[in-house]
Amino acid sequence: MTKMLPLGALALSLLLTGPASAPAAGKGPIGTKADFRLKTLDGKMLGPKDFPGQVVVIDFWATWCGPCQIQAKILEPVYRDHKGRGVQFLAANVGEDVDTVKKFVQGKPFPYPVVLDPDDKVASNLGVLALPTLIVVDKKGKITKVHSGLADGDTIRKAIKAAS
């Protein structure tokens, strides 16, 4: 299992470098198909390909990540604005077991499905190096945006519009 950056290291990294649009090695997954599926909290399988013809916004997060909780609050009004308008949101927990996530979500529920990447396989394959990271998938199932660190509402709305 790949370890995510501790909160202090993540905060320092963001202060020094600012948020990135893609992994430093190059384009990363931009332009590739997002064909993964992960288990939901109730054991079903769900992923971007389950929403053909829709834009999918995936928020990679963890319960211990303070900035992830801020990102979730930023995403709530964006989700409300796009609900029922061809945009699906997924909260992809990284590196934690189902019981930890269920307990956390009981106190801080997401208004959209939570999926689990307990062994960090999907996140690692997509080049997710820090949390939170948002990935936007266009209507054809291709990744159009990767944003590491906090993204403001305007940035998220622009990425959704560009993927539509």
Side-chain angles (χ1 to χ4, degrees):
M1 173 166 102
T2 303
K3 292 284 185 186
M4 292 287 130
L5 289 174
L7 180 57
L10 174 62
L12 180 59
S13 170
L14 291 174
L15 283 172
L16 295 175
T17 63
S21 293
K27 275 179 49 172
I30 299 221
T32 63
K33 280 278 195 187
D35 60 0
F36 64 88
R37 295 178 89 209
L38 295 167
K39 279 190 180 180
T40 63
L41 290 176
D42 59 4
K44 296 177 185 169
M45 297 301 288
L46 193 62
K49 65 183 178 180
D50 292 305
F51 305 100
Q54 296 186 52
V55 173
V56 181
V57 178
I58 308 144
D59 175 24
F60 287 87
W61 68 285
T63 62
W64 51 263
C65 171
C68 295
Q69 294 178 43
I70 295 168
Q71 187 66 75
K73 292 289 184 198
I74 293 168
L75 282 167
E76 283 180 26
V78 178
Y79 164 76
R80 282 193 307 270
D81 292 348
H82 290 87
K83 187 177 179 181
R85 296 179 177 208
V87 180
Q88 177 63 46
F89 289 72
L90 297 172
N93 179 274
V94 179
E96 297 181 293
D97 64 78
V98 65
D99 292 332
T100 299
V101 178
K102 279 185 178 180
K103 185 176 179 181
F104 180 86
V105 170
Q106 284 177 347
K108 297 179 182 185
F110 287 84
Y112 39 85
V114 174
V115 294
L116 305 167
D117 186 12
D119 49 12
D120 190 16
K121 283 184 182 172
V122 170
S124 289
N125 287 340
L126 293 172
V128 174
L129 300 174
L131 299 176
T133 292
L134 293 178
I135 292 183
V136 179
V137 179
D138 71 12
K139 293 179 178 185
K140 295 179 182 177
K142 290 188 177 181
I143 296 171
T144 59
K145 177 80 170 173
V146 177
H147 186 99
S148 295
L150 290 173
D152 62 59
D154 288 341
T155 298
I156 299 164
R157 285 179 176 87
K158 286 177 187 172
I160 291 169
K161 186 175 182 178
S164 295

